[in-house]
Amino acid sequence: MPDLRQIAMSLISQNPTVASNPQAQEFLQVIQNGDSARGQEIANNLCKTYGVKPEDALKQAKQFFHIPF
């Protein structure tokens, strides 16, 4: 049985918008490598850029993906 994560990553990486975006490529590499430290660094930078507290960003993400609190 194929790994759903690998299928999703393959589809995402083949998307022309993602393929031509260096930042998106970096995000994919972080996910593929399981680099949680770099992922946390990217998340913190995004929060700073958009002026959002990490706790609020997490709450918004949970609401968006319908994840119970």
Side-chain angles (χ1 to χ4, degrees), residues 33-49:
N33 296 335
D35 187 349
S36 60
R38 180 66 181 131
Q40 185 70 45
E41 184 180 338
I42 291 170
N44 287 335
N45 288 340
L46 287 169
C47 287
K48 286 179 187 175
T49 297

Side-chain angles (χ1 to χ4, degrees), residues 8-51:
M9 292 298 291
S10 177
L11 290 172
I12 292 168
S13 64
Q14 291 174 16
N15 180 311
T17 303
V18 174
S20 64
N21 182 330
Q23 188 175 32
Q25 287 296 314
E26 182 182 5
F27 295 161
L28 286 176
Q29 279 186 326
V30 166
I31 294 168
Q32 287 174 333
N33 296 335
D35 187 349
S36 60
R38 180 66 181 131
Q40 185 70 45
E41 184 180 338
I42 291 170
N44 287 335
N45 288 340
L46 287 169
C47 287
K48 286 179 187 175
T49 297
Y50 291 103

